Amino acid sequence: MKASLGIDIGTSAVKVLLLGLDGEVLAERAAPHPTARPHSGWAEQVPEDWWRSTVAAVSEVKSAADAEIVAVGLTGQLNGFVLLDSNDRPLGDAPIWLDTRAIAETAEIDSAHAGILRERGVTRLSPIAVLPKLLWLARHEPERLSQTRSILLVKDFVLWKLTGIKTTDPSDAAATAMYDFETGDWNRPLLVDLDLDPELLPEIGATASIGGSVTNEAATETGIAAGTPVARGAGDVTALAVGTGAIEGGILGITLGTAGHVVLGQDAARRPDLDSELWCLPHANPDRLAWLGLVMSGGLSLSWMHEMFASTGKPLSYSEMEALAAEVPPGASGVTFLPFLEGAATPYGEPRMRGTFNGLSPASTAGHMLRSAMEGVAFNVRQCVEAFQASGAEITQVHLAEGGARVDLWCQIVADVLGLPVRKLEALNTSTLGAAMIAMVAAGLAEYDDLLTPQMVQGKRFDPDPATSPIYEAAYRRYCTEAEAAARLAHDMNSTAPSAAKT
Ligand SMILES: Nc1ncnc2c1ncn2[C@@H]1O[C@H](COP(=O)(O)OP(=O)(O)O)[C@@H](O)[C@H]1O
Ligand SMILES: O=C(CO)[C@@H](O)[C@H](O)COP(=O)(O)O
């Protein structure tokens, strides 16, 4: 059987998926890679680890399904970047999206260039983005930047390893804050103004277009036939917009990966309210834009607790954690978790906020903390949904996916907190699925209109329980009050802090 191979270089792992041309998922595999946090606020990965994980996961998925790979599509975490020297060797490790060392540079660029960033980049600047991190490097590691001959984003590094071609797509480019939505090119005037060389950046080609084909060397390493076309693909937000069906209309995609994503496909002429810290990225379909509400610590809020239990020598499985949380009533008896372990994106845009439990008493149990962690993430998701609605978007269906959606209680909590029916998709790895779908379009094997596969509309439905509605209304109001106070506190305590150096 012929199949499209999707490859997602995620934060915690590379995931791969074989999608039959009839829309059936034939096999999926993953291979993990670590994140290093060498200094406060830093988060880095080793680019060669992405390639090693890709080779391992592709080899496994090929053994799991007897399929002929006719197209490859890439996606990956946004805003990680590799500096390559004149011999195409990485100059050090790659700062990833979780790296917030450039808080001071962010404030500086945003205040001097807010107009051009909003009008041409359709963004408020965030320290997640590549742009302020490049300025940080120019100031703190100028030699490293002066030795740099090219810069590649995460999925584009793997595309280069597969094809020998350095290229990117509009969705990955736009997240860096260095893209011009009007010209479809890098925002050259902004870069020149900041003394950053636009020629270090790769050319930008359409998401659903072929970027190159698998080289003989990559074929030997991966087992994918030499000459197989590789689509440029998309950053993970745009790929998961495709994979969750958030392509047009009111279909809202929610994912609980390491991050949490709340995504809608909207008409390209419309813009969200950037003051609500919503993001706007090019969609795979050029007639649309992907609107994003970003929850920094989505699935991470639960995997963090999972790791804490494991570190005590008494690990709990995810189903044991779910069972403990299920013993506690909705609203977690007044315990609130603010899910800002990695800072806050939508709606606060405050990277210095941190996670907090409020309302604990001697009667509180691990179940209260687990349930409130899931509820806190659902409340942050609701803030994203309300920001979309305030920007005039209508929501008719909710599709939920990625690793955290394996926890049924969490799916029910999301339905109850939103007061909307939620469908947990059968194909949970939606960015990987989206990458495989985009590759099919790029290779001329499918049209955008064919992209809603049977997996999309199938899956378990969770209806909101009306009995929980008044409880969650009160708990959500409590959460908002506490989160707003925490945002003010983080801002006031840190507003004079200098840029993060090696501490
Ligand atoms: N065995 C499991 N059962 C239920 N949920 C899990 C399990 N393992 C991980 N998770 C959840 O899935 C999240 C990771 O989702 P995933 O889609 O793999 O993330 P990413 O693509 O960001 O690496 C974890 O943070 C955790 O909340
Ligand atoms: O960078 C962003 C948003 O800017 C995140 O969307 C990352 O791309 C995280 O993806 P996961 O690995 O959690 O799926």
Tab-separated table of all heavy atoms in Angstrom, residues 11-12 35 37 43 96-98 255-261 295-308 318 321 337-343 354-355 357 370 373-374 377 402-405 410:
chain	number	residue	atom	x	y	z
A	11	THR	N	8.553	18.585	21.145
A	11	THR	CA	9.415	19.027	22.235
A	11	THR	C	10.036	17.831	22.959
A	11	THR	O	11.206	17.860	23.318
A	11	THR	CB	8.600	19.854	23.246
A	11	THR	OG1	7.889	20.854	22.534
A	11	THR	CG2	9.494	20.499	24.288
A	12	SER	N	9.237	16.779	23.157
A	12	SER	CA	9.745	15.660	23.938
A	12	SER	C	10.208	14.493	23.079
A	12	SER	O	10.951	13.648	23.552
A	12	SER	CB	8.675	15.173	24.924
A	12	SER	OG	7.547	14.720	24.221
A	35	THR	N	15.812	17.693	26.748
A	35	THR	CA	15.995	19.149	26.767
A	35	THR	C	16.969	19.473	27.892
A	35	THR	O	16.808	18.981	29.008
A	35	THR	CB	14.655	19.853	27.067
A	35	THR	OG1	13.731	19.499	26.042
A	35	THR	CG2	14.800	21.375	27.091
A	37	ARG	N	18.681	22.366	30.394
A	37	ARG	CA	18.389	23.704	30.949
A	37	ARG	C	19.640	24.182	31.677
A	37	ARG	O	19.685	24.168	32.904
A	37	ARG	CB	17.188	23.608	31.891
A	37	ARG	CG	15.913	23.220	31.133
A	37	ARG	CD	14.734	23.069	32.053
A	37	ARG	NE	13.569	22.625	31.329
A	37	ARG	CZ	12.699	23.422	30.728
A	37	ARG	NH1	12.866	24.719	30.753
A	37	ARG	NH2	11.656	22.923	30.095
A	43	ALA	N	16.567	26.872	27.588
A	43	ALA	CA	16.120	25.514	27.222
A	43	ALA	C	16.713	25.198	25.859
A	43	ALA	O	16.461	25.923	24.884
A	43	ALA	CB	14.602	25.436	27.177
A	96	ILE	N	15.363	26.406	22.173
A	96	ILE	CA	14.022	26.035	21.693
A	96	ILE	C	12.984	27.032	22.210
A	96	ILE	O	13.323	27.982	22.925
A	96	ILE	CB	13.650	24.577	22.062
A	96	ILE	CG1	13.560	24.389	23.586
A	96	ILE	CG2	14.634	23.599	21.444
A	96	ILE	CD1	12.848	23.104	24.009
A	97	TRP	N	11.717	26.796	21.873
A	97	TRP	CA	10.656	27.760	22.185
A	97	TRP	C	10.548	28.028	23.680
A	97	TRP	O	10.155	29.112	24.100
A	97	TRP	CB	9.316	27.261	21.616
A	97	TRP	CG	8.804	25.974	22.212
A	97	TRP	CD1	9.299	24.724	21.974
A	97	TRP	CD2	7.715	25.816	23.126
A	97	TRP	NE1	8.597	23.793	22.698
A	97	TRP	CE2	7.610	24.431	23.402
A	97	TRP	CE3	6.824	26.684	23.734
A	97	TRP	CZ2	6.640	23.912	24.267
A	97	TRP	CZ3	5.854	26.157	24.584
A	97	TRP	CH2	5.778	24.793	24.842
A	98	LEU	N	10.919	27.045	24.526
A	98	LEU	CA	10.793	27.213	25.977
A	98	LEU	C	11.898	28.093	26.560
A	98	LEU	O	11.905	28.367	27.757
A	98	LEU	CB	10.821	25.836	26.656
A	98	LEU	CG	9.588	24.969	26.418
A	98	LEU	CD1	9.825	23.545	26.915
A	98	LEU	CD2	8.378	25.582	27.125
A	255	THR	N	-5.233	20.839	21.642
A	255	THR	CA	-4.293	19.749	21.885
A	255	THR	C	-3.670	19.897	23.269
A	255	THR	O	-3.446	21.005	23.748
A	255	THR	CB	-3.161	19.732	20.835
A	255	THR	OG1	-2.408	20.928	20.958
A	255	THR	CG2	-3.702	19.592	19.427
A	256	LEU	N	-3.437	18.738	23.882
A	256	LEU	CA	-2.747	18.702	25.171
A	256	LEU	C	-1.447	17.918	24.981
A	256	LEU	O	-1.340	16.755	25.353
A	256	LEU	CB	-3.642	18.045	26.233
A	256	LEU	CG	-4.957	18.777	26.549
A	256	LEU	CD1	-5.856	17.940	27.452
A	256	LEU	CD2	-4.682	20.130	27.186
A	257	GLY	N	-0.483	18.535	24.266
A	257	GLY	CA	0.863	17.958	24.147
A	257	GLY	C	1.668	18.476	25.332
A	257	GLY	O	1.101	18.702	26.407
A	258	THR	N	2.969	18.704	25.159
A	258	THR	CA	3.718	19.381	26.225
A	258	THR	C	3.080	20.746	26.451
A	258	THR	O	2.716	21.109	27.570
A	258	THR	CB	5.201	19.540	25.813
A	258	THR	OG1	5.730	18.245	25.546
A	258	THR	CG2	6.000	20.216	26.914
A	259	ALA	N	2.914	21.483	25.354
A	259	ALA	CA	2.136	22.727	25.406
A	259	ALA	C	0.653	22.362	25.276
A	259	ALA	O	0.290	21.192	25.128
A	259	ALA	CB	2.553	23.635	24.255
A	260	GLY	N	-0.203	23.363	25.341
A	260	GLY	CA	-1.606	23.192	24.959
A	260	GLY	C	-1.871	24.183	23.851
A	260	GLY	O	-1.438	25.345	23.924
A	261	HIS	N	-2.507	23.727	22.780
A	261	HIS	CA	-2.811	24.616	21.660
A	261	HIS	C	-4.314	24.699	21.491
A	261	HIS	O	-5.013	23.681	21.580
A	261	HIS	CB	-2.203	24.078	20.361
A	261	HIS	CG	-0.714	23.951	20.382
A	261	HIS	ND1	-0.063	22.756	20.476
A	261	HIS	CD2	0.249	24.892	20.326
A	261	HIS	CE1	1.249	22.959	20.470
A	261	HIS	NE2	1.464	24.241	20.381
A	295	VAL	N	-1.286	27.696	25.495
A	295	VAL	CA	-1.160	27.324	26.916
A	295	VAL	C	0.253	26.749	27.056
A	295	VAL	O	0.553	25.701	26.485
A	295	VAL	CB	-2.227	26.257	27.277
A	295	VAL	CG1	-2.024	25.744	28.695
A	295	VAL	CG2	-3.628	26.818	27.081
A	296	MET	N	1.125	27.462	27.754
A	296	MET	CA	2.538	27.037	27.767
A	296	MET	C	2.702	25.642	28.365
A	296	MET	O	3.449	24.825	27.858
A	296	MET	CB	3.368	28.028	28.587
A	296	MET	CG	3.509	29.387	27.949
A	296	MET	SD	4.516	29.364	26.462
A	296	MET	CE	6.163	29.198	27.142
A	297	SER	N	2.045	25.386	29.498
A	297	SER	CA	2.198	24.081	30.161
A	297	SER	C	0.863	23.356	30.106
A	297	SER	O	0.060	23.453	31.024
A	297	SER	CB	2.630	24.271	31.615
A	297	SER	OG	3.761	25.094	31.672
A	298	GLY	N	0.619	22.664	28.985
A	298	GLY	CA	-0.625	21.897	28.822
A	298	GLY	C	-0.443	20.528	29.446
A	298	GLY	O	-0.563	20.340	30.663
A	299	GLY	N	-0.091	19.532	28.606
A	299	GLY	CA	0.187	18.192	29.127
A	299	GLY	C	1.302	18.214	30.154
A	299	GLY	O	1.342	17.383	31.075
A	300	LEU	N	2.202	19.178	30.012
A	300	LEU	CA	3.328	19.286	30.943
A	300	LEU	C	2.858	19.409	32.397
A	300	LEU	O	3.531	18.916	33.310
A	300	LEU	CB	4.179	20.508	30.567
A	300	LEU	CG	5.382	20.777	31.459
A	300	LEU	CD1	6.462	19.729	31.255
A	300	LEU	CD2	5.957	22.159	31.195
A	301	SER	N	1.702	20.051	32.620
A	301	SER	CA	1.224	20.215	34.005
A	301	SER	C	0.980	18.858	34.658
A	301	SER	O	1.118	18.718	35.879
A	301	SER	CB	-0.059	21.057	34.021
A	301	SER	OG	0.236	22.356	33.569
A	302	LEU	N	0.616	17.869	33.845
A	302	LEU	CA	0.383	16.532	34.399
A	302	LEU	C	1.664	15.693	34.371
A	302	LEU	O	1.950	14.960	35.330
A	302	LEU	CB	-0.732	15.842	33.597
A	302	LEU	CG	-1.523	14.780	34.339
A	302	LEU	CD1	-2.147	15.322	35.616
A	302	LEU	CD2	-2.608	14.200	33.438
A	303	SER	N	2.450	15.812	33.284
A	303	SER	CA	3.670	14.996	33.217
A	303	SER	C	4.657	15.449	34.301
A	303	SER	O	5.419	14.644	34.832
A	303	SER	CB	4.315	15.050	31.833
A	303	SER	OG	4.669	16.362	31.511
A	304	TRP	N	4.595	16.727	34.677
A	304	TRP	CA	5.436	17.230	35.778
A	304	TRP	C	5.076	16.485	37.073
A	304	TRP	O	5.945	16.016	37.810
A	304	TRP	CB	5.192	18.739	35.918
A	304	TRP	CG	5.633	19.334	37.214
A	304	TRP	CD1	6.922	19.470	37.645
A	304	TRP	CD2	4.796	19.889	38.232
A	304	TRP	NE1	6.931	20.076	38.881
A	304	TRP	CE2	5.646	20.346	39.274
A	304	TRP	CE3	3.421	20.053	38.379
A	304	TRP	CZ2	5.158	20.927	40.431
A	304	TRP	CZ3	2.941	20.652	39.524
A	304	TRP	CH2	3.792	21.081	40.539
A	305	MET	N	3.768	16.328	37.348
A	305	MET	CA	3.361	15.614	38.567
A	305	MET	C	3.718	14.129	38.459
A	305	MET	O	4.119	13.498	39.431
A	305	MET	CB	1.860	15.818	38.816
A	305	MET	CG	1.543	17.280	39.064
A	305	MET	SD	-0.110	17.571	39.698
A	305	MET	CE	0.079	17.070	41.387
A	306	HIS	N	3.571	13.588	37.234
A	306	HIS	CA	3.936	12.184	36.992
A	306	HIS	C	5.410	11.971	37.354
A	306	HIS	O	5.767	11.007	38.043
A	306	HIS	CB	3.677	11.884	35.504
A	306	HIS	CG	3.878	10.463	35.126
A	306	HIS	ND1	4.961	10.035	34.402
A	306	HIS	CD2	3.130	9.368	35.372
A	306	HIS	CE1	4.880	8.737	34.217
A	306	HIS	NE2	3.777	8.300	34.801
A	307	GLU	N	6.252	12.915	36.919
A	307	GLU	CA	7.693	12.790	37.209
A	307	GLU	C	7.975	12.981	38.694
A	307	GLU	O	8.859	12.339	39.249
A	307	GLU	CB	8.490	13.815	36.395
A	307	GLU	CG	8.720	13.336	34.981
A	307	GLU	CD	9.166	14.434	34.044
A	307	GLU	OE1	9.837	15.376	34.500
A	307	GLU	OE2	8.821	14.337	32.848
A	308	MET	N	7.201	13.846	39.358
A	308	MET	CA	7.427	14.050	40.797
A	308	MET	C	7.143	12.769	41.573
A	308	MET	O	7.891	12.380	42.454
A	308	MET	CB	6.524	15.166	41.303
A	308	MET	CG	7.246	16.486	41.278
A	308	MET	SD	6.528	17.671	42.374
A	308	MET	CE	4.852	17.641	41.912
A	318	TYR	N	-0.330	6.957	34.674
A	318	TYR	CA	-1.321	7.988	34.345
A	318	TYR	C	-2.716	7.534	34.744
A	318	TYR	O	-3.531	8.341	35.196
A	318	TYR	CB	-1.256	8.361	32.855
A	318	TYR	CG	-0.160	9.358	32.572
A	318	TYR	CD1	1.121	8.927	32.225
A	318	TYR	CD2	-0.380	10.727	32.674
A	318	TYR	CE1	2.140	9.843	31.980
A	318	TYR	CE2	0.629	11.648	32.430
A	318	TYR	CZ	1.889	11.203	32.086
A	318	TYR	OH	2.897	12.117	31.858
A	321	MET	N	-3.097	8.076	38.433
A	321	MET	CA	-3.273	9.510	38.726
A	321	MET	C	-4.707	9.933	38.388
A	321	MET	O	-5.340	10.695	39.127
A	321	MET	CB	-2.273	10.356	37.914
A	321	MET	CG	-0.824	10.088	38.281
A	321	MET	SD	0.346	11.391	37.786
A	321	MET	CE	-0.032	11.675	36.112
A	337	PHE	N	-5.146	25.389	40.594
A	337	PHE	CA	-3.764	25.326	40.081
A	337	PHE	C	-3.628	26.346	38.958
A	337	PHE	O	-4.430	26.351	38.019
A	337	PHE	CB	-3.459	23.924	39.549
A	337	PHE	CG	-2.094	23.798	38.926
A	337	PHE	CD1	-0.944	23.947	39.691
A	337	PHE	CD2	-1.951	23.531	37.568
A	337	PHE	CE1	0.326	23.840	39.121
A	337	PHE	CE2	-0.682	23.414	36.989
A	337	PHE	CZ	0.448	23.565	37.770
A	338	LEU	N	-2.632	27.215	39.051
A	338	LEU	CA	-2.324	28.148	37.960
A	338	LEU	C	-1.230	27.479	37.120
A	338	LEU	O	-0.109	27.303	37.600
A	338	LEU	CB	-1.844	29.495	38.506
A	338	LEU	CG	-2.800	30.205	39.468
A	338	LEU	CD1	-2.235	31.582	39.861
A	338	LEU	CD2	-4.190	30.369	38.861
A	339	PRO	N	-1.534	27.098	35.874
A	339	PRO	CA	-0.637	26.198	35.119
A	339	PRO	C	0.483	26.934	34.400
A	339	PRO	O	0.668	26.765	33.197
A	339	PRO	CB	-1.600	25.558	34.105
A	339	PRO	CG	-2.560	26.656	33.799
A	339	PRO	CD	-2.713	27.455	35.074
A	340	PHE	N	1.241	27.725	35.130
A	340	PHE	CA	2.227	28.576	34.471
A	340	PHE	C	3.651	28.130	34.804
A	340	PHE	O	4.529	28.961	35.079
A	340	PHE	CB	1.975	30.046	34.841
A	340	PHE	CG	0.561	30.487	34.526
A	340	PHE	CD1	-0.276	31.007	35.507
A	340	PHE	CD2	0.055	30.330	33.239
A	340	PHE	CE1	-1.583	31.385	35.210
A	340	PHE	CE2	-1.256	30.710	32.924
A	340	PHE	CZ	-2.080	31.230	33.915
A	341	LEU	N	3.860	26.808	34.769
A	341	LEU	CA	5.184	26.263	35.095
A	341	LEU	C	6.262	26.861	34.196
A	341	LEU	O	7.396	27.057	34.616
A	341	LEU	CB	5.178	24.737	34.917
A	341	LEU	CG	4.172	23.957	35.776
A	341	LEU	CD1	4.118	22.497	35.331
A	341	LEU	CD2	4.556	24.043	37.248
A	342	GLU	N	5.890	27.116	32.949
A	342	GLU	CA	6.834	27.680	31.969
A	342	GLU	C	6.456	29.122	31.636
A	342	GLU	O	6.727	29.593	30.536
A	342	GLU	CB	6.801	26.853	30.675
A	342	GLU	CG	7.229	25.410	30.836
A	342	GLU	CD	8.745	25.238	30.747
A	342	GLU	OE1	9.472	26.241	30.775
A	342	GLU	OE2	9.173	24.083	30.661
A	343	GLY	N	5.784	29.830	32.543
A	343	GLY	CA	5.303	31.175	32.249
A	343	GLY	C	3.956	31.104	31.550
A	343	GLY	O	3.438	30.019	31.281
A	354	ARG	N	4.758	31.873	37.293
A	354	ARG	CA	5.112	30.491	37.616
A	354	ARG	C	3.885	29.750	38.141
A	354	ARG	O	2.892	30.360	38.527
A	354	ARG	CB	6.238	30.448	38.665
A	354	ARG	CG	7.599	30.808	38.101
A	354	ARG	CD	8.070	29.771	37.060
A	354	ARG	NE	9.270	30.192	36.343
A	354	ARG	CZ	9.277	30.683	35.101
A	354	ARG	NH1	8.151	30.834	34.419
A	354	ARG	NH2	10.409	31.001	34.506
A	355	GLY	N	3.978	28.420	38.160
A	355	GLY	CA	2.866	27.595	38.623
A	355	GLY	C	2.595	27.792	40.105
A	355	GLY	O	3.519	28.035	40.876
A	357	PHE	N	-0.269	26.454	43.414
A	357	PHE	CA	-1.494	25.866	43.979
A	357	PHE	C	-2.045	26.849	45.002
A	357	PHE	O	-1.293	27.337	45.860
A	357	PHE	CB	-1.199	24.546	44.690
A	357	PHE	CG	-0.957	23.389	43.753
A	357	PHE	CD1	0.328	22.934	43.503
A	357	PHE	CD2	-2.023	22.744	43.138
A	357	PHE	CE1	0.552	21.864	42.637
A	357	PHE	CE2	-1.808	21.668	42.272
A	357	PHE	CZ	-0.514	21.239	42.027
A	370	LEU	N	-3.987	16.761	41.720
A	370	LEU	CA	-4.045	16.233	40.349
A	370	LEU	C	-5.260	16.789	39.607
A	370	LEU	O	-5.174	17.216	38.461
A	370	LEU	CB	-4.105	14.701	40.388
A	370	LEU	CG	-2.771	14.037	40.726
A	370	LEU	CD1	-2.968	12.605	41.208
A	370	LEU	CD2	-1.860	14.063	39.498
A	373	ALA	N	-4.802	20.378	38.762
A	373	ALA	CA	-3.863	20.582	37.637
A	373	ALA	C	-4.618	20.471	36.312
A	373	ALA	O	-4.459	21.298	35.413
A	373	ALA	CB	-2.733	19.563	37.706
A	374	MET	N	-5.464	19.438	36.198
A	374	MET	CA	-6.232	19.276	34.940
A	374	MET	C	-7.216	20.425	34.771
A	374	MET	O	-7.400	20.961	33.675
A	374	MET	CB	-6.987	17.947	34.960
A	374	MET	CG	-6.074	16.742	34.891
A	374	MET	SD	-7.044	15.236	34.720
A	374	MET	CE	-6.274	14.214	35.924
A	377	VAL	N	-5.452	23.758	33.626
A	377	VAL	CA	-5.155	23.794	32.186
A	377	VAL	C	-6.452	24.058	31.404
A	377	VAL	O	-6.477	24.872	30.465
A	377	VAL	CB	-4.481	22.476	31.740
A	377	VAL	CG1	-4.341	22.429	30.224
A	377	VAL	CG2	-3.113	22.325	32.408
A	402	GLU	N	-3.788	14.899	21.075
A	402	GLU	CA	-2.420	14.784	21.606
A	402	GLU	C	-2.421	14.034	22.950
A	402	GLU	O	-3.472	13.630	23.452
A	402	GLU	CB	-1.714	16.144	21.686
A	402	GLU	CG	-1.536	16.819	20.315
A	402	GLU	CD	-0.541	16.168	19.350
A	402	GLU	OE1	0.445	15.557	19.787
A	402	GLU	OE2	-0.768	16.270	18.121
A	403	GLY	N	-1.197	13.852	23.497
A	403	GLY	CA	-0.996	12.888	24.588
A	403	GLY	C	-1.945	13.026	25.768
A	403	GLY	O	-2.462	12.031	26.291
A	404	GLY	N	-2.192	14.269	26.236
A	404	GLY	CA	-3.033	14.453	27.422
A	404	GLY	C	-4.472	14.000	27.217
A	404	GLY	O	-5.175	13.691	28.195
A	405	ALA	N	-4.918	13.942	25.954
A	405	ALA	CA	-6.300	13.518	25.681
A	405	ALA	C	-6.487	12.023	25.925
A	405	ALA	O	-7.623	11.519	25.903
A	405	ALA	CB	-6.679	13.881	24.243
A	410	TRP	N	-9.716	14.090	31.875
A	410	TRP	CA	-9.298	15.426	31.416
A	410	TRP	C	-10.199	15.898	30.263
A	410	TRP	O	-10.599	17.059	30.195
A	410	TRP	CB	-7.831	15.400	30.975
A	410	TRP	CG	-7.084	16.681	31.208
A	410	TRP	CD1	-7.622	17.887	31.582
A	410	TRP	CD2	-5.677	16.887	31.106
A	410	TRP	NE1	-6.630	18.829	31.699
A	410	TRP	CE2	-5.426	18.245	31.421
A	410	TRP	CE3	-4.596	16.072	30.781
A	410	TRP	CZ2	-4.137	18.788	31.421
A	410	TRP	CZ3	-3.319	16.610	30.784
A	410	TRP	CH2	-3.089	17.955	31.097
